[in-house]
Amino acid sequence: MLLRHVTVDCADPYRLASFWSGVTGWPLFDGDQPGDPEVLVVAPEPQPGLLFIRVPESKRVKNRIHLDWMPTERTRDEEVERILALGATLHEDHRKPDGLGWVTLLDPEGNEFCVERSAAERTA
């Protein structure tokens, strides 16, 4: 079995997909545009894409599942700053003085996700 998409319910699929496209560097599906009821962020194989679908209800409670991201081109702290500049909000900071830990951020619609240390930071 292959995981094809991770689907996120949201109020504005194009806006949220555009944010995640900026975070990941992955493109939007060709032809997706503002106002579409669903918008896909196309991931490189074999990773699943991120599919954003409009729903009428708003997010009310903590996510029961969230994504953990590990930077590949930057440190954890550089990646956190970059994502904050894209429109994320700091939710919980679990960084420790010894360099361990992670940061929990919120996307523009309040969905939690974490940024962990990069592979290079883990081996250092």
Side-chain angles (χ1 to χ4, degrees), residues 11 13 17 29 34 41-42 55 66 72-73 79 90 103 106 108 110 113 117:
F29 183 74
V41 178
V42 181
V55 297
H66 69 265
T72 56
E73 299 175 9
E79 193 66 24
L90 178 63
V103 178
L106 302 175
F113 63 99
R117 293 179 304 146

Side-chain angles (χ1 to χ4, degrees), residues 19-26 68-90 95 103 105 113-119 121:
F19 167 80
W20 281 104
S21 177
V23 169
T24 61
W26 304 340
D68 291 340
W69 296 94
M70 184 174 69
T72 56
E73 299 175 9
R74 286 172 274 284
T75 67
R76 173 201 56 211
D77 296 346
E78 291 168 339
E79 193 66 24
V80 166
E81 292 306 314
R82 185 184 76 82
I83 295 171
L84 288 170
L86 291 172
T89 304
L90 178 63
R95 292 177 278 195
V103 178
L105 301 174
F113 63 99
C114 295
V115 179
E116 301 178 351
R117 293 179 304 146
S118 68
E121 290 173 292

